[in-house]
Amino acid sequence: MSAEAYQAAHKIAQKAYRSAMNNGEYPYLQALDDFLPYEQTAGEKYVGLLEIPLYLVVGTKTAGRQNSFSNNFMPLLSEESEFARKWANLYDAQLEEGIREPIVVYEYMHRFYVMEGNKRVSVLKSLKAVKISAKVTRILPKKTDEMENKIYFEFLDFFEDAEIYDIWFSQTGSYEKLTRHYGYKKGEKWTEEKRTSLRSEFQLFRREYKAKGGDKINITSGDAFLAYIDIFPAWQLHTQEDEEIRENLTKMWDEFLTLAQNKSMKILLEPQPKEKPKQSPGLTLLSRFLGSASMKQLKIAFIYEKSVDNSAWNYAHEMGRMHLEQVFGDKVKTTIYEHAEYTDNSEDIIEAAIDDGNQIIFTVAAQLANASVKAAVKHPDIKILNCSTNSRYRAIRTYYCRIYESKFLLGVIAGALSPTFELGYMADYPIYSTIADINAFALGAQMVNPRAVVHLHWRCVESDENRAWPERVQYISDKDWITPDHPTRKYGLYCQHRDGRIDNIATGMCHWGKLYEQLVSSIIRNTWKVDDEQNKNRALNYWWGISAGVLEIVCSQKLPGGTKVLVDMLTENIRRGEFNPFQCNWITQDGTVANEVNHQMKPEDIFKMNYLASNVEGRIPSMDELKEEAKEFVQLQGGV
């Protein structure tokens, strides 16, 4: 039996050797000492006796025995050799009572290199074992700015808490996210029960993922696992049949391919051109989409995190929903679903909307993004869109307004009117796109008043929310929406007088109805598919602005006529694409040149700004400074 096992392993080794030679690769095991100069290390640490994953054992510590094995640890030496007899004896011992003597390994950058026990590793790999007992010494690398190095030091923090080697990622932040998935915070020690659960769940997932061809996708098994448990709870892996797991993997496959692209979300700045499709006489666009025989209504759901009455945000979108009904009349039927505040509740509400026959679902809060993705993966025929500024998932599409354009115009107004040159800006969350809003306001003010200074406060920071503005600040930019049942004059750009009076000057307005109208029209006209075909394996975000007719400035009669003319002229230039608020020479707080005159910044660079203009007094808060309710939102939406 053992002789036959060696013969089979030897054949696998020869095949791997030939394949490596044909592909110009090294055919033997890597020796750590051959490629790791001592000066690149920062010392050694004995970690202890551990059960380590066999798939992470990739080579030898020294060059002594490396040529006895192919690069997959299968034996290359003759079946008549002493080496083959010892290998066969170990094979028998493993079958009879198990190999109990631990191997000795060195770990470097999350990979293991064998000092003692190469044949034991080879035998267990031939038997497709998962783990092996090992005495582990870690060789620490020096810290660098390379991505892999940063990920490794995040792994070390994770290992300190969880003592788990099994999982490796290709993106920073992933270990912290995995930790949150399992109910822990960084610095908390994991229980043995939780460690066992994660190892078991990951191995179950990895087995099916590899069997389906996951090794051919350019992401780690850890990346795929983290994406999977975002949608399907990890604990279900223990209770599901293998076929169910395979079905879930099939549903997730496009998301894995999107991850492998390693590209940021594709930002679509304008709607697709309205080309009239060919159609039969008397057949409307809508009937073509729905099917001329049935002529049934297009059913559209709007899902709100809170109620329409007590949320300015939801009220603005409710006006958009009503606009949609006015435009399409009885050809569409819209339904609202409220109070989707909590994870389980939001998932149930989306499922209820699908059960009710809705073909398009708008989830009108970034907090509903994860629930939206889960539903979209499970129901690929339903079009689900989430109102937020960031997504890495292909299953849903996100949408938002380019608010920095309106904030720039408000900055122009504030800079022109302020007699003190000092302005205020109240920001909500330090997420993608909001830093661009702040900078655009500051640059607008600076355009008309080079001495303009913008004092920045954050509503999501306890010490900032109620902090008094400097005495010289009169003109303040605040949120653009007001809550119907809690009216306030502190919205848009307003002037706060010393006696407490407030004059509203101007505000930005997102025409959500026009945005919804164009999105629904794109589905009816089938240009929705054009966006898909032009951006294979990319998450898509509609980031539309003044040029798409979904954003404008509304000014009060208190605005001087000359300033109004200037604002109208700049608005028209932005609409035509002849001017962008950031295409000027401006510098950041640390003196770095952010952009030069007439140079167009890429949408992605605007979207992901993580620095402030030099005339902003204030800073971007860290995660630790945020209110508790804000932390989850920033983590979800993508903090800067």
Side-chain angles (χ1 to χ4, degrees), residues 64 73 124 253 255 263 266-267 284 338 374 385 394 418 538 586 630:
F73 254 105
L124 287 175
W253 211 251
E255 301 304 331
K263 293 180 180 178
K266 177 64 177 178
I267 299 172
T284 67
E338 299 177 286
K374 291 180 181 181
L385 299 94
R394 182 172 174 77
S418 175
R538 297 283 295 275
W586 62 286

Side-chain angles (χ1 to χ4, degrees), residues 546-582:
I546 290 173
S547 60
V550 301
L551 183 67
E552 71 168 334
I553 290 288
V554 178
C555 301
S556 77
Q557 293 181 348
K558 295 182 175 67
L559 184 66
T563 307
K564 180 67 164 61
V565 170
L566 174 61
V567 170
D568 288 345
M569 181 184 70
L570 289 169
T571 300
E572 187 59 27
N573 286 339
I574 292 172
R575 188 188 314 280
R576 293 177 179 175
E578 297 171 357
F579 175 76
N580 184 288
F582 296 109

Side-chain angles (χ1 to χ4, degrees), residues 27 66 92 161 180 209 271 328 343 372 394 403 467 587 605:
Q66 68 181 128
D92 287 335
D161 300 332
R180 291 198 304 271
Y209 177 71
F328 290 101
T343 300
S372 301
R394 182 172 174 77
I403 293 174
R467 182 158 56 99
I587 60 175
D605 293 337

